[in-house]
Amino acid sequence: MKEYYFTEEHELFRDALKQFLEKEVLPYIDEWEAQQRVPKEIWKKFGEQGFLGLHYPEQYGGAGLDFFYSVVFCEEISKLFSGGFGVIPTVTQYMSSTYVYKFGSEALKQKYLVPVIKGEMISAIGITEPGAGSDVANIQTRAVRQGDHYIINGQKTFISNGFYGDYVVLVVKTNPEAGVHGFSLIVVDLDSPGISKNKLNKLGWHASDTAELFFEDVKVPVGNLIGEEGKGFFYLMDGLQLERLVGAIGAVAGTEALIDYTLKYMSERQAFGRPINKFQVLRHRMAQLHAETEVIKQYVYYCSRLQNEGKYAVKECSIAKLQATELANKAAYECLQMFGGYGYIEDYKVARVYRDVRILTIGGGSSEIMREILAKMLIDDKKYERPRPQTAQEVAASAAVVEEVMQAIRQRAAQGSLGTSLKFDFGSKKLFIDGSSGTNVVSEEDREAACTILINPEDMQALLRGELNPMSAFMSGKIKVQGDMSVAMKLQSLLS
Ligand SMILES: Cc1cc2nc3c(=O)[nH]c(=O)nc-3n(C[C@H](O)[C@H](O)[C@H](O)COP(=O)(O)OP(=O)(O)OC[C@H]3O[C@@H](n4cnc5c(N)ncnc54)[C@H](O)[C@@H]3O)c2cc1C
């Protein structure tokens, strides 16, 4: 089936890359794992040989090749038994510089994309914060514009390439009041004054540097803004599909390499007078793993085809990431078992794989988040379309809906008393009703209330117009309630 996706040229490229890896990388992997650092010079060698920027246009020094060359690249660097090594170029080439290429200005591309393709710069993507991992929308890092600069304050954590890398594509809030329209992406040099870093000790991925980053009044030129202010969330949602697909490609390739390695050991290891690959119970387990790997690999290739055609394949990339990374964990567990006690000893590569694969079902969207995306599509009929930032007219229209809804609630609240406090959270705006002293006093203060109702303005409008039933809105998750549920029940009195 490989021939279906890969031409002779792809395979020639694969051979050349494999030769390069065998000569320049494999002999040093153990040393780099032990030192917990990969020397930067190696990336220049990658660049000189034309192995970087495969998917970027030639005008920036890239190769302008179809996505299956990138598949070959991700596969081969994932077969080296060092997840920590593999994550450095994949984050740089497919998870961070991609935003500079796709949405950045020409000046940013010259400064931050061209060197990445030459192997002169390593880049990072800074999304996760101590209080916001899966819940990306909850990030707190702020960038405030002052003249020709942004001043950045906040904290990121778990940032791959964050310690030794050159720059980070930082996800910040430029307007915390504007919900998903308040995010921006800014390129920040990692040696900027005001940044302090802490390299984290990890279970696996030892060759990769994973950092906590602290930003204290970090001054960045406005020219480092990627695309337009307020559109960062949409850029990010666009890029995450590629990140998940690349994760899936690596997970499958790493699993294949592990199966081969394990089969070789099984053919050599003797027990009860014969090689252990003669025990049917073990043979069948390996056959099962092989079957599962083949099925998922073909699905990942199918997703790669969608990527190659420029499709926005949320469902497919989520399935691929979920299945491939869960498989990698299962395979690591089962293959280590085939090695007996030797599998537990670091001299055997399977021990490292066992540590390295654990992150795969967590990073870049955990398995639970992948299942949640799928459940929303499957059960709630949610559609994921390529995110499109709102036009100026749409921004004005949704602001008008918020105003209409807030006005209607004010009028209805004026007619009675809730006897307690209730807050509506419309994302960009809040409406606080204090009914604790006889009459309802309504304000736009963002205060602590006995109960908070999170709802988007369009759904609230439908509720007020009687077009949406409160109970079904609640059951389908359109209304979310925080705090005292009994207060939420009083919503009906405001609606009637
Ligand atoms: C080695 C490493 C490298 C990383 N590299 C990067 C990087 O380069 N850049 C970056 O920005 N981040 C990076 N991360 C962060 C990674 O993406 C996050 O760890 C991940 O998104 C999970 O976030 P969290 O750790 O805050 O867990 P949480 O979000 O707190 O989740 C904890 C648990 O709850 C589950 N959970 C959360 N929400 C739900 C839900 N709605 N339904 C069901 N279950 C749920 C999760 O699946 C998980 O099991 C890295 C992490 C590690 C460990």
Side-chain angles (χ1 to χ4, degrees):
M1 274 301 280
K2 220 170 178 187
E3 306 74 44
Y4 186 77
Y5 297 104
F6 298 96
T7 61
E8 204 182 328
E9 285 75 23
H10 289 119
E11 293 309 333
L12 287 171
F13 171 75
R14 188 189 297 276
D15 289 343
L17 177 60
K18 275 165 90 167
Q19 277 179 26
F20 173 80
L21 294 173
E22 269 161 33
K23 181 164 172 268
E24 302 288 350
V25 176
L26 260 183
Y28 309 102
I29 283 276
D30 290 348
E31 192 183 319
W32 297 340
E33 280 277 324
Q35 290 171 350
Q36 307 212 339
R37 181 170 192 172
V38 174
K40 274 194 167 169
E41 294 67 48
I42 187 65
W43 307 120
K44 287 192 194 136
K45 288 188 186 172
F46 268 81
E48 281 157 15
Q49 296 298 316
F51 293 132
L52 301 178
L54 301 169
H55 55 314
Y56 290 134
E58 291 174 45
Q59 71 183 108
Y60 300 111
L65 294 166
D66 68 65
F67 186 66
F68 281 92
Y69 284 90
S70 292
V71 174
V72 171
F73 178 83
C74 295
E75 285 184 335
E76 294 310 321
I77 57 161
S78 303
K79 291 180 180 170
L80 303 173
F81 294 86
S82 170
F85 175 82
V87 73
I88 301 172
T90 44
V91 165
T92 302
Q93 299 290 322
Y94 299 102
M95 301 175 193
S96 50
S97 61
T98 34
Y99 298 99
V100 177
Y101 167 62
K102 224 170 163 187
F103 307 107
S105 65
E106 188 56 32
L108 280 183
K109 285 178 193 146
Q110 292 301 333
K111 190 167 175 196
Y112 293 104
L113 180 65
V114 171
V116 147
I117 297 172
K118 284 185 179 162
E120 291 169 356
M121 273 191 175
I122 289 296
S123 55
I125 174 78
I127 308 170
T128 307
E129 299 184 1
S134 305
D135 186 6
V136 175
N138 197 34
I139 65 154
Q140 303 296 325
T141 298
R142 283 288 322 261
V144 177
R145 187 160 174 173
Q146 275 182 17
D148 291 339
H149 289 85
Y150 283 103
I151 307 298
I152 299 177
N153 281 285
Q155 185 183 344
K156 296 285 171 184
T157 192
F158 302 144
I159 306 306
S160 303
N161 300 344
F163 199 78
Y164 299 125
D166 296 283
Y167 70 88
V168 57
V169 171
L170 198 69
V171 185
V172 295
K173 275 194 179 160
T174 35
N175 181 0
E177 306 300 314
V180 292
H181 304 286
F183 289 69
S184 300
L185 304 186
I186 299 180
V187 179
V188 182
D189 291 318
L190 279 164
D191 60 358
S192 304
I195 296 184
S196 44
K197 308 173 199 171
N198 176 35
K199 190 173 159 188
L200 296 164
N201 276 326
K202 306 188 294 292
L203 171 70
W205 275 10
H206 286 169
S208 153
D209 51 305
T210 310
E212 283 180 301
L213 301 174
F214 303 89
F215 300 83
E216 206 181 325
D217 292 332
V218 177
K219 204 172 165 189
V220 181
V222 285
N224 280 27
L225 175 73
I226 295 182
E228 290 177 49
E229 194 177 292
K231 298 191 175 169
F233 198 79
F234 304 99
Y235 300 155
L236 197 60
M237 290 304 117
D238 194 66
L240 284 181
Q241 307 318 316
L242 176 59
E243 174 169 342
R244 287 169 187 163
L245 177 56
V246 163
I249 296 166
V252 172
T255 302
E256 277 191 307
L258 179 62
I259 290 175
D260 288 348
Y261 178 67
T262 306
L263 289 175
K264 183 164 183 300
Y265 179 83
M266 290 171 73
S267 70
E268 292 162 358
R269 177 69 179 168
Q270 299 266 331
F272 297 94
R274 49 191 180 142
I276 62 169
N277 69 5
K278 298 293 178 210
F279 296 120
Q280 193 181 51
V281 65
L282 304 188
R283 295 159 67 87
H284 283 195
R285 224 182 278 165
M286 294 308 291
Q288 179 69 33
L289 271 183
H290 171 70
E292 290 175 27
T293 308
E294 278 298 304
V295 169
I296 295 172
K297 184 167 76 170
Q298 293 310 322
Y299 189 78
V300 168
Y301 285 162
Y302 161 65
C303 295
S304 303
R305 198 181 93 194
L306 297 180
Q307 169 70 28
N308 197 38
E309 291 167 358
K311 303 257 166 61
Y312 184 63
V314 173
K315 184 172 110 180
E316 292 80 0
C317 289
S318 304
I319 292 175
K321 160 89 175 38
L322 172 67
Q323 295 298 95
T325 58
E326 290 288 340
L327 169 73
N329 274 273
K330 176 179 167 181
Y333 183 88
E334 295 207 351
C335 287
L336 192 147
Q337 190 73 13
M338 302 297 165
F339 284 77
Y342 296 98
Y344 201 66
I345 306 301
E346 288 283 345
D347 294 351
Y348 287 81
K349 293 177 194 168
V350 66
R352 186 188 297 154
V353 174
Y354 188 75
R355 290 187 280 100
D356 282 354
V357 294
R358 195 60 193 87
I359 179 59
L360 300 181
T361 59
I362 298 170
S366 67
S367 287
E368 288 76 17
I369 295 301
M370 295 304 99
R371 292 188 192 104
E372 186 54 24
I373 291 170
L374 295 170
K376 280 185 181 147
M377 297 180 99
L378 192 67
I379 299 163
D380 306 335
D381 209 19
K382 185 170 167 81
K383 307 258 183 299
Y384 287 93
E385 280 157 18
R386 192 181 287 282
R388 182 179 61 84
Q390 284 183 310
T391 61
Q393 286 100 322
E394 285 166 338
V395 171
S398 35
V401 173
V402 178
E403 284 313 317
E404 180 194 317
V405 160
M406 302 228 302
Q407 185 57 21
I409 295 175
R410 278 177 195 280
Q411 282 170 0
R412 294 180 195 206
Q415 291 159 17
S417 168
L418 284 173
T420 181
S421 59
L422 174 67
K423 183 167 72 176
F424 288 93
D425 184 341
F426 299 119
S428 58
K429 291 239 174 175
K430 323 271 185 265
L431 201 68
F432 184 83
I433 305 174
D434 185 357
S436 55
S437 53
T439 52
N440 287 333
V441 180
V442 184
S443 71
E444 291 186 27
E445 287 173 56
D446 188 5
R447 284 169 54 194
E448 189 86 359
C451 174
T452 299
I453 291 179
L454 296 103
I455 184 168
N456 82 41
E458 286 75 18
D459 289 333
M460 190 68 213
Q461 189 182 45
L463 275 177
L464 289 163
R465 289 177 178 174
E467 295 162 5
L468 181 63
N469 176 287
M471 190 48 77
S472 58
F474 179 70
M475 299 299 282
S476 65
K478 287 183 173 171
I479 296 180
K480 292 200 180 78
V481 178
Q482 289 173 351
D484 188 346
M485 195 65 194
S486 66
V487 180
M489 304 310 277
K490 299 186 180 179
L491 185 61
Q492 192 62 43
S493 67
L494 280 177
L495 296 174
S496 53

